[in-house]
Amino acid sequence: MNGQYDTEVVIVGGGPTGLMLANLLGACGVKTIVLEREKDVFPVPRATHIDEETVRNFTLTGLMPELAKHISPFGNVEVADSKGRVILTEHVGLISDVHGKAGSFFFDQPAFETILRHGLKRYAHVLFLPDTEVLKIDQHANGVTVFAKDRECENERTVHAQYAVGCDGGRSLVRKSLDISMHQMAPSRDWLIVDATLKDMNDAALLPQHFQYRMGLDRLMLYAHGHGQNRRWEFRLQQGEEHPDRSEVIKWISAFIEPEKLNILRMTPYTQRAQIAEKWRVGRILLAGDAAHLMPPSAGQGMCSGIRDAVNLAWKLRHVLQFSDRDGMLNSYQTERQPHLTKMLNSSMFISNRLNAESAVARLWKYAQILFIGTFSPIRDLMRSQLLSPIPLSAGFFQHSLAGGQHVPRFEDQDGQFTDVWPYAWAVVGAADAFGPSLMLRLGMMGIHSVGNRLEDAMLESRLNRWLKDNDATFAIIRPDRIVYCFTGKHAIHAQLDVLERRGVGYVELANALELRHGAA
């Protein structure tokens, strides 16, 4: 029996990016179908690190109480010599508390994906179809048609949607069907990855307690202690080097711990790539995550970047589904994300280039450079600032002349917790005494949240007011993805809301709110 489906958005690929996008679209009231090739979540973590911004982005799903059980502090990153002697230690965390307390995390990817899959069940208008292989995707004037099959029973599945998003990984069928080329930012490199779990957690003390780059005499090695019992090694292969057999890899691991203390889950070669798709959108089809960009894992930003894509894109898709400003809004997706992604990719390559070398002499020279950086604090501080400072958007759907494009800080409450105080939606943030009756009425009619007029936590209110004062503003208009649309004064707020109304924002917010209320009733 063939399956025919009609929806507003179809997502090809149910990995972290696709699942994040689907959960946000679900919260926005958008009818969504996710087509995922695999029946079950891949049991071995493919990503191990998430940064502060990504943790904050996950809170937008409403699932953070469950997800928080599967993260642990990342702490420091170490660079060690071939004997494991540490020559440089650096804390991994933003030089800012804009996303909350600075510091990255290890996480359990299979647990996260499982929770995100289950999270879709909250929305009657979201359908997740695992074990579904996409065969072809076509687009036409009024939408997109995806042809797929159920892998178990071979039944055909056809999905008609207004928009499609390819979240189907580095080998993206969606990207290939659009004939989109990938721009290569750096040469590809061959590595070998080993994922394992500790048989006995008491043996954890035998291994480095932090993420470690080890500058071996013949290759660069990476070690990540991961979350819980998860442990990972990555070994760089030299150009032209044949893939080593299992016994050789076991010898490499034995430099860290007796292999008998581990359960080896996988041992496989892979190629590190630094590539960005030339286009992220063709008509009604868009790309996100690894389908749009691939980066080396040096800075742990591959999956984090895909989550940023989803957070940037979901509210824009909802907007174009309910308003006619399609090109202006959807084109801002690549305009905003690609420059940010390029900077993150350059940071990843900067780290990689400081550590990688092709010969023994070059490796000794890299070792000397790292040793110098570790002892000369001005260079170290400069590099830390360049690599870890928050990156604002440089262009896109915001008022650049009014300091738009920066992230809204997470405000600290009286318990010392950093929190977001409104859902994934447009908001106006202002001091409690700044919201007059006419503004409150207008925001209510536009379906835009007002933040600051009813805060019961004195610490939250104080930090919010201080942030506005630092930006010489009475109000800040905030996009759903926690990006400042603009700062504005008390007498100019209505003019800025006029601009948003002309761009359809208020109508969309109100229509969506009414639709969700009607659905709930």
Side-chain angles (χ1 to χ4, degrees):
M1 180 178 178
N2 295 340
Q4 298 282 337
Y5 303 89
D6 289 287
T7 190
E8 292 179 307
V9 175
V10 58
I11 299 171
V12 180
T17 300
L19 290 171
M20 183 71 178
L21 180 60
N23 273 277
L24 293 177
L25 289 172
C28 289
V30 175
K31 297 176 183 177
T32 305
I33 292 178
V34 183
L35 306 177
E36 165 54 34
R37 187 178 190 278
E38 300 302 325
K39 182 177 181 179
D40 301 309
V41 170
F42 190 63
V44 180
R46 287 160 292 181
T48 61
H49 162 271
I50 50 178
D51 60 17
E52 303 94 322
E53 183 181 354
T54 306
V55 172
R56 182 185 189 181
N57 284 336
F58 276 124
T59 67
L60 300 176
T61 66
L63 298 170
M64 204 59 216
E66 297 176 63
L67 296 172
K69 302 171 186 176
H70 304 283
I71 65 174
S72 54
F74 189 95
N76 297 333
V77 61
E78 300 174 338
V79 180
D81 64 13
S82 60
K83 301 294 185 182
R85 293 171 296 204
V86 177
I87 59 174
L88 176 66
T89 302
E90 191 62 72
H91 178 70
V92 176
L94 291 174
I95 308 176
S96 165
D97 62 358
V98 65
H99 297 303
K101 297 176 182 178
S104 292
F105 297 87
F106 286 113
F107 81 115
D108 187 338
Q109 181 178 346
F112 265 53
E113 289 192 27
T114 299
I115 292 169
L116 290 171
R117 281 191 179 197
H118 290 164
L120 298 179
K121 297 177 181 178
R122 296 173 294 174
Y123 307 111
H125 50 279
V126 177
L127 178 63
F128 181 73
L129 296 175
D131 210 21
T132 300
E133 182 175 1
V134 173
L135 305 173
K136 190 174 80 166
I137 181 168
D138 291 334
Q139 70 169 311
H140 37 86
N142 298 318
V144 179
T145 302
V146 178
F147 302 92
K149 69 174 181 179
D150 183 311
R151 296 177 65 207
E152 182 177 358
C153 57
E154 298 291 322
N155 286 342
E156 293 181 0
R157 287 175 169 171
T158 304
V159 180
H160 303 285
Q162 294 186 51
Y163 288 91
V165 184
C167 301
D168 50 341
R171 299 177 181 178
S172 172
L173 179 146
V174 175
R175 186 184 67 238
K176 292 176 181 176
S177 71
L178 298 172
D179 197 26
I180 295 175
S181 60
M182 297 286 279
H183 173 63
Q184 187 155 310
M185 302 282 290
S188 300
R189 303 293 186 188
D190 290 332
W191 285 69
L192 185 135
I193 189 169
V194 178
D195 279 300
T197 57
L198 287 168
K199 293 179 179 178
D200 186 344
M201 281 298 292
N202 292 322
D203 291 330
L206 302 175
L207 288 163
Q209 298 305 296
H210 303 290
F211 186 98
Q212 186 179 96
Y213 294 101
R214 187 169 293 191
M215 303 180 74
L217 296 177
D218 56 353
R219 71 188 71 254
L220 179 66
M221 298 173 282
L222 280 65
Y223 164 76
H225 66 71
H227 176 73
Q229 293 177 281
N230 294 321
R231 298 295 183 270
R232 170 174 291 179
W233 286 265
E234 296 185 37
F235 303 94
R236 189 187 178 197
L237 304 180
Q238 300 303 325
Q239 289 187 350
E241 182 178 6
E242 294 184 3
H243 294 157
D245 59 27
R246 183 181 179 87
S247 61
E248 181 67 17
V249 179
I250 292 296
K251 289 180 183 178
W252 297 346
I253 294 174
S254 64
F256 293 81
I257 191 174
E258 295 176 27
E260 293 77 15
K261 297 182 180 294
L262 302 171
N263 292 310
I264 304 294
L265 302 178
R266 67 167 175 163
M267 185 183 293
T268 185
Y270 76 100
T271 302
Q272 285 189 9
R273 304 184 190 278
Q275 299 176 333
I276 302 177
E278 299 286 354
K279 298 178 186 177
W280 294 25
R281 176 196 174 197
V282 175
R284 291 174 173 268
I285 304 177
L286 301 102
L287 303 177
D290 286 354
H293 43 77
L294 294 165
M295 65 172 64
S298 310
Q301 285 296 317
M303 195 201 76
C304 296
S305 296
I307 299 302
R308 290 189 189 95
D309 294 345
V311 172
N312 185 285
L313 185 57
W315 64 273
K316 295 177 179 179
L317 283 168
R318 179 194 59 188
H319 185 279
V320 301
L321 286 164
Q322 298 182 9
F323 194 68
S324 61
D325 183 22
R326 293 188 174 92
D327 287 339
M329 182 66 81
L330 277 188
N331 285 344
S332 73
Y333 167 57
Q334 182 172 355
T335 299
E336 292 176 356
R337 286 293 303 127
Q338 187 168 2
H340 186 282
L341 186 282
T342 301
K343 290 180 181 178
M344 297 303 301
L345 199 151
N346 285 334
S347 294
S348 295
M349 291 191 298
F350 178 85
I351 295 172
S352 181
N353 291 338
R354 298 287 73 76
L355 298 169
N356 282 320
E358 301 297 340
S359 68
V361 172
R363 281 189 287 276
L364 287 172
W365 174 235
K366 296 285 186 182
Y367 175 85
Q369 289 177 323
I370 295 297
L371 197 60
F372 175 71
I373 292 170
T375 56
F376 194 64
S377 57
I379 291 181
R380 183 172 174 175
D381 292 343
L382 177 62
M383 290 175 59
R384 178 173 172 79
S385 176
Q386 290 177 338
L387 294 173
L388 299 176
S389 295
I391 302 174
L393 299 184
S394 57
F397 191 85
F398 55 86
Q399 298 281 26
H400 194 279
S401 61
L402 296 173
Q406 63 178 274
H407 286 91
V408 181
R410 295 184 81 186
F411 302 113
E412 187 176 8
D413 64 20
Q414 59 193 7
D415 297 322
Q417 300 297 313
F418 286 83
T419 182
D420 287 312
V421 290
W422 69 95
Y424 182 70
W426 282 85
V428 170
V429 174
D433 58 358
F435 288 90
S438 63
L439 178 57
M440 289 298 298
L441 177 62
R442 183 172 189 184
L443 293 177
M445 293 179 66
M446 293 179 70
I448 295 178
H449 289 261
S450 57
V451 179
N453 61 316
R454 291 192 181 93
L455 286 178
E456 298 179 356
D457 190 299
M459 179 64 76
L460 279 174
E461 185 174 356
S462 173
R463 195 163 189 261
L464 179 154
N465 291 339
R466 185 168 63 250
W467 175 64
L468 290 170
K469 184 177 180 180
D470 289 344
N471 288 279
D472 194 28
T474 307
F475 295 104
I477 301 178
I478 311 300
R479 305 184 337 178
D481 53 1
R482 301 310 193 259
I483 296 294
V484 175
Y485 174 79
C486 73
F487 288 103
T488 186
K490 188 171 185 178
H491 299 294
I493 180 66
H494 284 284
Q496 291 301 329
L497 292 175
D498 288 343
V499 174
L500 284 181
E501 280 195 316
R502 287 195 294 271
R503 304 179 88 168
V505 168
Y507 300 117
V508 172
E509 301 304 312
L510 183 60
N512 184 66
L514 291 173
E515 182 177 340
L516 288 178
R517 290 190 198 119
H518 177 73

